[in-house]
Amino acid sequence: MTTTARGVDARGRAQVGARNLRTDRWWLPPAATTVGLLIFLVYGGARAFQQQYFFADERYLTPFYSPCVSLGCASEPGSAHFGMFLPDHPLIPYAALSLPFLLGFRLTCYYYRKAYYRSFWLAPAACAVPEPHAAYTGETRFPLILQNSHRYFFYVAVIVSLVNTYDAIVAFRHPTDGFVVGVGNLVLLVNVALLWCYTVSCHSCRHVMGGRLTHFSKHPVRYWLWTKISALNTRHMLFAWITLGTLILTDLYVMLVARGTITDLRLIG
Amino acid sequence: MSYTGRFRVWRGHAGGGALADFEVEVNEGEVVLDVIHRLQATQAPDLAVRWNCKAGKCGSCSAEINGQPRLLCMTRMSVFTPDEVVTVTPMRTFPVIRDLVTDVSYNYAKAREIPSFTPPIDLAPGEFRMSQADVQRSQEFRKCIECFLCQDTCHVVRDHEENKAVFAGPRFLMRVAELEMHPLDVSDRVAGVQDQHGLGRCNITKCCTEVCPEGIKITDNALIPMKERVADQRYDPLVWLGRTISRRPR
Ligand code: SF4
Ligand code: SF4
Ligand code: FES
């Protein structure tokens, strides 16, 4: 078989002449996905290594620096809620404990897998559009077989979400002014609420909570949990994109306040 | 409103063929299959097309319209503008027999590879008792009309003929899921779905879900849950430990 006689051109199939006859703008979703993911990667990467402007008004810690566990966090007193022990090195993000797992969580996420297989791998770029690869084994081999570890990243992501929730709560306490509420508090709260939506709508979570059962009727509590998570799970892609946006906006807010570019409006206190 | 629509319909057989141009009357409320029938009646009496119910329930009239796998009888002409050329080809994943008719035996071969429903041996037919909550999930999969559009669109076999031997396709991976989730099926299907039916080749890109005329959430509700069950059995030391210690029924 020659290389051109692959896929839809294989022997016996209708010889149509064109590899793809779609007339809509099928290339738009994968192109938009590529742009969206690249924006997040570039912004997130730049911020993770900046090691500056991550703590504002002595109480707002950006999610990109949480938990702040580097010795470098000492430059912003009060930012390290869980101790400082990682060496302060330009190549080690201050949140080096959580960021690799969060990246792993999203990389192995069933939604993001679809997104980058389609947009970066073009396997397939859109339905009924031939992919460019000569051979295909899917997720049966190394390295893609590692996608099966997704549930472990999910477990860590739950812990990190708890840490982020803690950050959002302690942010209501100003070291000198006591209990205060600023716009930044609302920003952190909204961000953490949406992070929870993304995290618990995960397919592995759905499975662990009840999906793995065959007899729902014997496990009413887990069945109830499964139905709730299933409802969120249908919006998993939506939360995946919303949280990329809210993470950037939250971080941007903390950064701008920390730099003094904008002032955080105090609503109470 | 009636107008003269422009159509390109693939005509030929396994040895070769080409898109043929037609101009044909289109009336308000019609579907693509109506127009194909008018072509047969007026201009191309030997045009081969498979159809039965014209109600989206028999799954016979699967084809590709403007490059998209769809049912001819469920695609309304109103989704096209009157000046748009509508291209109709047979499904491009299966061998063509003639014109719009393909040989879908791959699908029947794959269906036969799945061990059938296996109830507990001590349970006689008539004694089956199940609660609705337990069968609800797999009832979604039983809406399938076996149109094989999902099989046609899945890039694993569409773009790689050689994968047909090792990949059952979304419709039949879903069938395995249906049996695996069945409260009275006692056979363990998890190893088989990965090793014999090729679930690992699915990269959850959801084209099957996109084209399913029954709106079955094949990827989210059948394929991903099966991938998670495979992970339980093969790739999760914690689950293995828990099973070994507790031995509780699922
Ligand atoms: S989700 Fe899997 S089975 Fe469905 S079309 Fe994509 S690769 Fe094929
Ligand atoms: S699952 Fe949907 S697309 Fe696939 S054969 Fe059944 S009805 Fe057709
Ligand atoms: S986070 Fe997307 S599937 Fe788990």
Side-chain angles (χ1 to χ4, degrees):
Chain A
M1 209 188 283
T2 64
T3 40
T4 48
R6 273 196 279 125
V8 288
D9 294 328
R11 213 153 52 88
R13 303 195 196 181
Q15 301 298 310
V16 174
R19 306 258 303 151
N20 143 38
L21 289 168
R22 281 184 67 163
T23 50
D24 56 336
R25 286 185 293 170
W26 56 264
W27 44 267
L28 191 61
T33 305
T34 309
V35 172
L37 294 180
L38 284 179
I39 288 177
F40 184 81
L41 283 177
V42 170
Y43 180 90
R47 277 295 280 155
F49 291 99
Q50 193 181 20
Q51 305 183 335
Q52 237 182 336
Y53 310 127
F54 55 88
F55 195 58
D57 197 21
E58 298 169 75
R59 59 204 181 95
Y60 297 142
L61 178 66
T62 161
F64 285 100
Y65 283 74
S66 168
C68 210
V69 287
S70 162
L71 295 172
C73 304
S75 64
E76 292 288 353
S79 64
H81 302 146
F82 299 91
M84 296 178 276
F85 41 85
L86 289 185
D88 185 6
H89 185 280
L91 288 181
I92 304 178
Y94 286 2
L97 218 50
S98 59
L99 293 189
F101 291 99
L102 292 181
L103 185 68
F105 182 46
R106 297 214 179 215
L107 275 179
T108 57
C109 160
Y110 285 93
Y111 167 67
Y112 286 105
R113 270 145 80 179
K114 172 196 169 199
Y116 62 77
Y117 287 146
R118 279 200 185 200
S119 60
F120 287 81
W121 235 271
L122 309 178
C127 305
V129 172
E131 55 175 66
H133 314 284
Y136 173 88
T137 53
E139 299 184 334
T140 55
R141 297 197 188 154
F142 183 82
L144 293 183
I145 197 153
L146 295 179
Q147 307 281 29
N148 285 303
S149 61
H150 183 54
R151 56 185 59 184
Y152 281 96
F153 287 107
F154 163 72
Y155 300 143
V156 179
V158 169
I159 297 172
V160 178
S161 296
L162 287 171
V163 169
N164 289 335
T165 311
Y166 179 81
D167 294 340
I169 293 171
V170 296
F172 285 105
R173 231 195 80 81
H174 189 276
T176 45
D177 305 349
F179 177 79
V180 285
V181 180
V183 171
N185 289 109
L186 305 183
V187 171
L188 290 188
L189 277 186
V190 169
N191 176 61
V192 92
L194 289 165
L195 279 180
W196 275 114
C197 287
Y198 170 68
T199 308
V200 302
S201 65
C202 158
H203 287 271
S204 288
C205 175
R206 186 182 183 215
H207 175 77
V208 173
M209 289 303 171
R212 57 199 303 272
L213 302 169
T214 306
H215 298 275
F216 281 150
S217 54
K218 291 190 189 139
H219 308 262
V221 177
R222 290 182 69 184
Y223 179 43
W224 181 85
L225 278 171
W226 179 82
T227 53
K228 299 298 156 203
I229 289 169
S230 296
L232 279 177
N233 177 262
T234 57
R235 296 179 186 87
H236 193 52
M237 162 179 166
L238 184 71
F239 291 129
W241 281 108
I242 289 183
T243 49
L244 287 192
T246 49
L247 277 170
I248 289 186
L249 290 177
T250 306
D251 178 73
L252 206 58
Y253 187 84
V254 173
M255 178 174 85
L256 293 178
V257 174
R259 286 179 50 170
T261 317
I262 56 172
T263 343
D264 178 52
L265 191 67
R266 285 260 173 110
L267 306 172
I268 299 176
Chain B
M1 191 197 78
S2 289
Y3 65 92
T4 304
R6 287 183 294 152
F7 275 73
R8 286 196 303 167
V9 181
W10 193 84
R11 312 250 4 223
H13 44 74
L19 290 167
D21 292 310
F22 294 99
E23 294 203 344
V24 55
E25 178 189 327
V26 177
N27 302 311
E28 186 157 2
E30 286 185 334
V31 294
V32 175
L33 185 58
D34 289 314
V35 179
I36 296 290
H37 281 159
R38 184 165 299 117
L39 274 181
Q40 275 184 329
T42 59
Q43 306 177 39
D46 60 342
L47 174 67
V49 59
R50 193 187 272 135
W51 69 285
N52 274 287
C53 73
K54 207 173 166 275
K57 284 290 166 244
C58 76
S60 307
C61 66
S62 305
E64 299 188 10
I65 304 171
N66 284 352
Q68 287 269 40
R70 309 186 69 141
L71 294 179
L72 292 172
C73 80
M74 296 304 279
T75 307
R76 289 172 177 280
M77 282 308 298
S78 59
V79 302
F80 310 107
T81 56
D83 56 349
E84 197 172 341
V85 181
V86 179
T87 307
V88 186
T89 69
M91 290 192 281
R92 299 181 66 182
T93 296
F94 312 121
V96 69
I97 296 176
R98 218 174 78 112
D99 301 341
L100 300 178
V101 177
T102 50
D103 173 2
V104 292
S105 8
Y106 159 74
N107 301 289
Y108 298 114
K110 291 298 164 187
R112 277 192 295 273
E113 284 171 14
I114 300 170
S116 51
F117 173 61
T118 318
I121 25 170
D122 52 346
L123 211 57
E127 287 175 358
F128 293 2
R129 296 292 177 273
M130 296 164 262
S131 47
Q132 181 57 32
D134 295 345
V135 285
Q136 189 126 338
R137 245 189 318 180
S138 43
Q139 273 171 348
E140 178 190 10
F141 311 147
R142 300 200 64 95
K143 291 194 300 182
C144 173
I145 59 171
E146 302 226 308
C147 62
F148 305 135
L149 286 174
C150 56
Q151 306 279 94
D152 175 49
T153 201
C154 178
H155 70 114
V156 177
V157 284
R158 186 182 176 92
D159 294 335
H160 305 280
E161 181 73 25
E162 67 283 3
N163 279 339
K164 281 186 180 168
V166 289
F167 186 66
R171 195 274 165 263
F172 297 105
L173 293 170
M174 177 175 88
R175 170 73 180 148
V176 182
E178 179 193 330
L179 292 166
E180 170 63 25
M181 292 173 187
H182 194 292
L184 286 182
D185 187 88
V186 292
S187 115
D188 182 359
R189 298 171 185 275
V190 174
V193 82
Q194 188 79 346
D195 299 335
Q196 274 94 53
H197 310 302
L199 178 65
R201 276 170 212 259
C202 161
N203 67 353
I204 54 167
T205 35
K206 288 198 178 176
C207 285
C208 48
T209 305
E210 256 179 52
V211 301
C212 176
E214 283 294 313
I216 305 172
K217 299 277 180 286
I218 307 169
T219 319
D220 282 351
N221 291 345
L223 307 181
I224 293 176
M226 286 311 282
K227 280 192 177 250
E228 285 293 318
R229 284 171 192 230
V230 171
D232 271 354
Q233 210 174 73
R234 295 256 166 109
Y235 307 109
D236 193 334
L238 273 186
V239 172
W240 174 81
L241 202 67
R243 277 226 186 104
T244 318
I245 296 169
S246 81
R247 291 251 157 255
R248 269 209 315 156
R250 283 183 296 145

